[in-house]
């Protein structure tokens, strides 16, 4: 695991974008795992800038998003599909046929989840998976207590997550009760992981994930078991770490 601490959110976003851009230049048909939430927005913004001003080419890229609310169609303004379209896909030259976001309106979720797993495999697996982290240590919708070997499936949202998200919906009852999410095991199959976190509200979760014991109570702690994981964070998110960490990935050569 390579932990990179940057001075602020913009710098961490640029650093994370550099890693993705480097992988994309080396492999134009990159299979890119994506996350929603506020943290990766800066990374997407920087990738859009690199596309518009430096010709970064997404035409052969395939994407797989981590999760989606059950019951929301892609056109719903609170769906993760809509979020990705607006904040990233609409701004780059990606082929829509290669975009994958779990389908919140699937007819049979069990069949859909197996299909999603198979689809990832059919593209040779995810090359690099972008991750955020919840203040409680969740990754995707894998809340504390999720099996560390889990695969794509339906999860019931915790009352805390529903309460956190109610600000985005008109009525509390409109907040979805379920989500489709890649499992922890699915995420771990990605060849590289790129976890981004910003702000002191994430400091405790980052401490548990990076330096705490490996436990299902902090699903993000599984990254300690990954062979090629980047954790790119800003100083406030790193404020509870005890170890000494680097400030750029460029000096590090993976053999
Ligand atoms: C979203 C996702 C979530 C978020 C996490 C952090 O696809 O997988 O696990 O990454 O909740 O969200 P933000 O970045 O909004 O703090």
């Amino acid at each position: 695991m390579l932990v990179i601490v940057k001075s602020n959110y913009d710098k961490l976003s640029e650093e994370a974008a550099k890693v993705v851009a480097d992988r994309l230049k080396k492999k134009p048909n990159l299979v890119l795992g994506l996350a929603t939430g506020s943290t990766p927005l800066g990374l997407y913004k920087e990738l859009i800038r690199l596309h518009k001003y430096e010709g970064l080419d997404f035409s052969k890229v395939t994407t797989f998003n981590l999760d989606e609310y059950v019951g929301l169609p892609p056109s719903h303004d609170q769906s993760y599909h809509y979020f990705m379209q607006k904040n990233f896909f609409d701004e780059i030259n990606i082929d829509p046929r290669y975009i994958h976001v779990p389908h919140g309106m699937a007819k049979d979720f069990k069949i859909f989840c197996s299909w999603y797993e198979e689809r990832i495999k059919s593209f040779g697996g995810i090359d690099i998976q972008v991750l955020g982290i919840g203040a409680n240590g969740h990754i995707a919708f894998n809340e504390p207590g999720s099996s560390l070997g889990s695969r794509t499936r339906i999860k019931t949202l915790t009352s805390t997550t529903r309460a956190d998200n109610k600000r985005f919906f008109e009525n509390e009852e409109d907040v979805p009760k379920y989500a489709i999410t890649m499992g922890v095991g699915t995420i771990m199959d990605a060849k590289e992981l790129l976890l981004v976190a910003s702000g002191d509200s994430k400091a405790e979760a980052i401490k548990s994930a990076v330096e705490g014991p490996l436990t299902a109570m902090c699903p993000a702690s599984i990254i300690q078991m990954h062979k090629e994981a980047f954790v790119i964070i800003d100083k406030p998110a790193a404020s509870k770490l005890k170890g000494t960490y680097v400030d750029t990935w460029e000096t590090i050569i993976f053999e």
Side-chain angles (χ1 to χ4, degrees), residues 25 76 79 95 135 156 162 187:
K25 282 177 198 158
H76 191 290
S79 75
D95 183 334
T156 306
R162 291 191 71 224
I187 292 168

Side-chain angles (χ1 to χ4, degrees), residues 36-247:
T36 58
S38 49
T39 319
L41 282 174
L43 155 64
Y44 298 151
K45 212 169 131 200
E46 177 61 7
L47 287 175
I48 292 166
R49 192 192 67 77
L50 291 172
H51 166 66
K52 290 196 170 150
Y53 300 104
E54 295 184 23
L56 191 64
D57 180 18
F58 290 85
S59 63
K60 296 189 178 69
V61 167
T62 298
T63 63
F64 285 94
N65 261 81
L66 288 170
D67 43 16
E68 178 60 288
Y69 289 123
V70 165
L72 300 191
S75 56
H76 191 290
D77 64 359
Q78 289 307 324
S79 75
Y80 285 178
H81 201 133
Y82 186 93
F83 175 99
M84 289 307 303
Q85 203 64 48
K86 188 170 92 186
N87 292 301
F88 193 39
F89 301 145
D90 281 348
E91 305 293 331
I92 55 172
N93 65 332
I94 190 163
D95 183 334
R97 290 174 303 167
Y98 298 132
I99 292 173
H100 301 86
V101 182
H103 208 301
M105 302 292 281
K107 270 203 187 117
D108 182 324
F109 286 104
K110 220 167 170 189
I111 292 177
F112 180 82
C113 292
S114 315
W115 176 83
Y116 205 66
E117 290 275 336
E118 287 309 313
R119 185 84 177 156
I120 294 171
K121 275 194 210 131
S122 73
F123 281 90
I126 292 171
D127 290 307
I128 183 160
Q129 174 67 56
V130 175
L131 294 170
I133 182 171
N136 63 0
H138 73 219
I139 43 173
F141 269 121
N142 299 288
E143 299 286 2
S146 293
S147 157
L148 297 180
S150 51
R151 313 300 308 185
T152 303
R153 69 210 184 291
I154 297 276
K155 285 291 283 179
T156 306
L157 303 186
T158 61
S159 45
T160 334
T161 300
R162 291 191 71 224
D164 277 355
N165 292 355
K166 77 171 184 230
R167 65 187 191 278
F168 301 117
F169 293 85
E170 253 174 52
N171 306 302
E172 205 171 330
E173 313 83 71
D174 297 340
V175 185
K177 294 188 177 61
Y178 306 98
I180 305 182
T181 180
M182 277 189 205
V184 180
T186 320
I187 292 168
M188 284 296 283
D189 284 349
K191 289 164 201 127
E192 291 186 295
L193 300 181
L194 174 52
L195 189 150
V196 286
S198 166
D200 49 16
S201 64
K202 297 293 171 71
E204 198 60 50
I206 286 294
K207 180 181 163 217
S208 306
V210 172
E211 295 180 345
L214 173 63
T215 166
M217 291 317 286
C218 175
S221 64
I222 194 73
I223 55 171
Q224 296 173 27
M225 297 293 290
H226 200 282
K227 283 190 288 188
E228 302 284 358
F230 293 92
V231 176
I232 307 186
I233 53 183
D234 59 12
K235 278 198 175 136
S239 57
K240 296 203 166 144
L241 292 178
K242 295 218 159 48
T244 311
Y245 298 107
V246 296
D247 68 355

